[in-house]
């Protein structure tokens, strides 16, 4: 299936109106101001209307004010916190709630570009398989001074990642994901190469080959290079398992239902990379997307197999349903070989992370405390929250094997996200800094600016970190 990065740009452009003629005004205020006395913000008949419908101006709610020819304007209650990109996300609830039409913002207390991005993020819908009429357009007039190209580029990266995660596995196999990535890369004139399954053993990617060999769709490793070779090296690695049956340790049907999203880490680094390139940040960017199906067949890898990794460590397979850390291990070893300034990997890696922190708050791991503080602050600032968990080395004992250098899963029922992170950490030796994100990649219930479905968690937060760390680009 063709997945066009440029088509998404066109879809988003339709949501930004070129002028305000005939637009319905949206007035957004902190909820406390409206609750105190909303009568002072409206005409007496409108105040009577709000009283009649019982609107309480709770944060995140809106009210349509009637006029002579339909809707006169919209009142929107923000939260009472200080204006920020995170608080502006509340406006992302409006595109799905308002009638078709053109709207313009008035009296918004924060940065207008934050409001526009929130609107665009909230307007996304996954409609690829519908045969009914196109969705109604709720367009927003671009406020004066907002960089249209920049705000579209950030929304486009998120939409593209959401689309990739939402597409079912019958239409998104390893080659499809690799080609979609390559298509995005061409937009930015980046160099891309795709290594396919037959070459994996020759090029020394044995763990990735082992995971993907049972599928009729060969595994791939897509690699992107972009930017000035003199700039700091930033390398992104994303888990791209297009469907995970669990392998011979097969999942129950309830656990398999959402496994199309097991390439959410790949989608997230693709989104992050697109933001970096669109902003022309002064970095030497490298992105690795190891992608495969974890299927069942006569040649599937087995529990108890011992496989020598790219790094030379022998790995005992404790459970074939922990395949993500295997494909990442080879990719991280490859990423680490040129000693980048920063390696970031993203992966839908463990259910333990969701048990600990829920679906909305992914954990991240790093040994760099200053970087960890920066990541936390950036996530909170942009409304893409992340929470630090430790590389707790005493738990590494749970990965010991009696027959190999390491078992790839813990022999303990506890701390599953931490032990998975510790397994990956041993494959990063030369990079100056390393960050691992254990994301869910999915919004199970719609949130403002985050429709239900695929979500590149951590991408916007890490873009904020990298942009602040390496400069704001051209």
């Amino acid at each position: 299936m063709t997945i066009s990065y440029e088509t998404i740009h066109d879809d988003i452009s339709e949501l930004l109106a070129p002028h305000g003629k005939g637009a319905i005004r949206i007035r957004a205020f902190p909820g406390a101001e409206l609750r105190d006395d909303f009568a002072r913000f409206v005409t007496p008949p409108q105040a009577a209307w709000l009283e009649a419908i019982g609107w309480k101006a709770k944060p995140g709610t809106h009210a349509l004010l009637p006029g002579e020819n339909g809707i006169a304007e919209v009142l929107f209650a923000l939260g009472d916190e200080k204006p920020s990109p995170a608080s502006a996300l509340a406006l992302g609830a409006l595109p799905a709630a308002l009638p078709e039409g053109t709207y313009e913002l008035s009296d918004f207390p924060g940065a207008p570009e934050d409001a526009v991005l929130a609107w665009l993020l909230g307007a996304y819908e996954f409609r690829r398989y519908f045969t009914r009429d196109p969705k109604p357009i709720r367009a927003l007039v671009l406020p004066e001074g907002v960089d249209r190209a920049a705000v579209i580029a950030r929304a486009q990266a998120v939409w593209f990642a959401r689309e990739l995660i939402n597409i079912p596995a019958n239409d998104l196999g390893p080659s499809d994901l690799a080609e979609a990535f390559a298509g995005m890369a061409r937009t930015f004139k980046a160099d891309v190469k795709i290594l396919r399954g037959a070459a994996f053993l020759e090029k020394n990617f044995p763990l990735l080959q082992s995971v993907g060999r049972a599928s009729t769709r060969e595994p791939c490793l897509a690699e992107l290079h972009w930017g000035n070779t003199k700039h700091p090296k930033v390398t992104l690695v994303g888990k791209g398992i297009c469907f995970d049956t669990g392998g011979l340790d097969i999942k129950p049907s309830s656990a398999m239902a959402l496994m199309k999203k097991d390439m959410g880490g790949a989608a997230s680094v693709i989104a992050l990379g697109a933001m970096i390139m669109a902003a022309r940040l002064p970095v030497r960017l490298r992105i690795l997307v190891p992608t495969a199906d974890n299927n069942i067949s006569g040649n599937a890898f087995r529990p108890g197999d011992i496989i020598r990794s790219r790094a030379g460590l022998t790995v005992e397979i404790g459970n074939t349903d922990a395949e993500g850390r295997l494909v990442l291990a080879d990719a991280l070893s490859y990423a680490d070989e040129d000693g980048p300034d920063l390696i970031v990997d993203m992966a839908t890696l463990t259910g333990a992370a969701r048990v600990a922190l829920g679906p909305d708050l992914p954990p991240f791991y790093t040994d760099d405390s200053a970087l960890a503080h920066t990541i936390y602050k950036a996530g909170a600032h942009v409304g893409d929250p992340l929470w630090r968990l430790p590389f707790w080395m005493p738990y590494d004992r749970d990965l010991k094997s009696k027959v190999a250098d390491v078992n790839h899963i813990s022999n303990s029922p506890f701390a599953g996200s931490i032990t998975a992170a510790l397994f990956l950490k041993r494959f990063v030796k030369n990079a100056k800094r390393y960050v691992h994100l254990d994301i869910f990649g999915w919004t199970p219930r719609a949130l403002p600016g985050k429709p239900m479905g695929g979500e590149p968690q951590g991408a916007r937060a890490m873009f904020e970190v990298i942009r602040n760390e390496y400069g704001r680009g051209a």
Side-chain angles (χ1 to χ4, degrees):
M1 173 175 285
T2 302
I3 308 157
S4 169
Y5 193 71
E6 289 307 313
T7 297
I8 288 175
H9 179 280
D10 297 340
D11 291 342
I12 294 174
S13 294
E14 291 182 354
L15 300 172
L16 295 178
H19 55 76
K21 184 178 180 180
I24 300 168
R25 184 170 62 158
I26 299 173
R27 291 198 288 158
F29 301 95
E33 291 186 26
L34 292 171
R35 288 193 299 276
D36 286 345
D37 182 14
F38 57 60
R40 67 190 176 94
F41 297 99
V42 295
T43 66
Q46 289 173 336
W49 166 257
L50 293 174
E51 290 281 3
I53 65 174
W55 189 56
K56 302 299 184 184
K58 294 179 180 178
T61 65
H62 71 280
L64 304 180
L65 298 178
E68 293 183 2
N69 298 309
I71 301 171
E73 59 184 17
V74 180
L75 281 184
F76 185 80
L78 293 163
D80 298 329
E81 63 270 27
K82 292 181 180 179
S84 69
S87 63
L89 271 182
L91 287 165
L94 287 178
L98 295 177
E100 183 174 6
T102 300
Y103 298 86
E104 63 179 338
L105 286 168
S106 173
D107 302 314
F108 181 67
E113 57 266 28
D114 295 338
V116 175
L117 181 60
W119 183 278
L120 296 179
L121 293 179
Y124 172 82
E125 289 184 65
F126 183 59
R127 299 181 60 87
R128 181 175 291 265
Y129 294 90
F130 287 131
T131 55
R132 59 178 183 252
D133 294 337
K135 67 177 181 179
I137 298 294
R138 288 91 166 181
L140 184 70
V141 176
L142 190 72
E144 186 176 347
V146 173
D147 186 330
R148 177 187 176 93
V151 75
I152 287 178
R154 292 175 72 177
Q156 183 181 4
V158 174
W159 277 40
F160 186 61
R162 288 172 175 173
E163 199 76 0
L164 290 172
I165 298 170
N166 286 327
I167 291 173
N170 61 309
D171 279 334
L172 190 80
S175 287
D176 302 301
L177 178 56
E179 293 295 345
F181 174 41
M184 180 278 289
R186 286 191 287 271
T187 300
F188 300 102
K189 297 180 171 56
D191 296 324
V192 170
K193 61 181 180 181
I194 301 173
L195 185 70
R196 301 189 188 273
F200 275 10
L201 292 181
E202 176 188 346
K203 299 295 184 179
N204 193 24
F205 293 98
L207 292 174
L208 179 51
Q209 188 272 342
S210 296
V211 170
R213 72 191 187 201
S215 176
T216 56
R217 306 189 296 190
E218 63 182 358
C220 301
L221 177 64
E223 180 175 1
L224 172 149
H225 290 269
W226 174 90
N228 191 323
T229 56
K230 297 180 180 179
H231 288 159
K233 297 176 184 176
V234 173
T235 300
L236 313 178
V237 182
K239 172 188 169 185
I241 299 297
C242 291
F243 195 81
D244 180 18
T245 65
L248 293 177
D249 288 305
I250 190 169
K251 293 178 182 288
S253 59
S254 59
M256 212 183 296
L258 265 186
M259 282 301 99
K260 69 176 184 178
K261 76 170 184 66
D262 213 18
M263 38 62 64
S268 296
V269 299
I270 290 170
L272 174 55
M275 292 181 203
I276 290 170
M277 291 186 288
R280 292 188 285 174
L281 298 187
V283 299
R284 177 59 171 169
L285 179 66
R286 185 184 184 195
I287 305 176
L288 298 174
V289 175
T291 178
D293 291 327
N294 186 21
N295 276 4
I296 300 169
S297 73
N299 70 334
F301 75 122
R302 297 160 289 263
D305 283 358
I306 298 174
I307 305 167
R308 186 175 298 276
S309 68
R310 180 182 183 87
L313 291 174
T314 55
V315 179
E316 180 185 5
I317 304 304
N319 188 305
T320 63
D321 193 21
E323 82 299 326
R325 66 197 72 183
L326 296 174
V327 302
L328 286 175
D330 273 353
L332 285 170
S333 296
Y334 184 43
D336 189 57
E337 287 167 8
D338 65 352
D341 186 66
L342 174 66
I343 291 178
V344 178
D345 85 63
M346 299 185 180
T348 52
L349 204 62
T350 71
R354 257 51 68 200
V355 171
L357 298 177
D360 302 339
L361 185 60
F364 73 93
Y365 298 80
T366 181
D367 280 334
D368 189 318
S369 292
L371 178 59
H373 182 63
T374 300
I375 291 170
Y376 170 76
K377 286 180 62 178
H381 180 65
V382 302
D384 189 16
L386 298 168
W387 193 265
R388 187 187 188 186
L389 289 182
F391 282 124
W392 186 249
M393 289 308 299
Y395 291 161
D396 198 62
R397 64 179 180 265
D398 295 328
L399 295 172
K400 288 183 178 179
S401 168
K402 294 181 179 179
V403 293
D405 293 329
V406 65
N407 196 309
H408 84 301
I409 65 165
S410 168
N411 57 20
S412 165
F414 305 119
S417 181
I418 294 175
T419 53
L422 289 171
F423 175 79
L424 295 178
K425 185 176 185 290
R426 65 190 1 96
F427 295 95
V428 179
K429 303 293 186 183
N430 301 313
K432 294 182 178 67
R433 295 174 299 174
Y434 169 52
V435 182
H436 161 61
L437 281 74
D438 188 345
I439 68 171
F440 190 45
W442 191 263
T443 302
R445 54 182 176 83
L447 300 169
K450 300 176 183 179
M452 180 179 173
E455 184 66 27
Q457 291 175 307
R460 291 189 300 112
M462 291 308 301
F463 173 72
E464 188 78 2
V465 170
I466 292 169
R467 183 174 63 166
N468 291 334
E469 177 93 7
Y470 297 102
R472 295 195 169 249

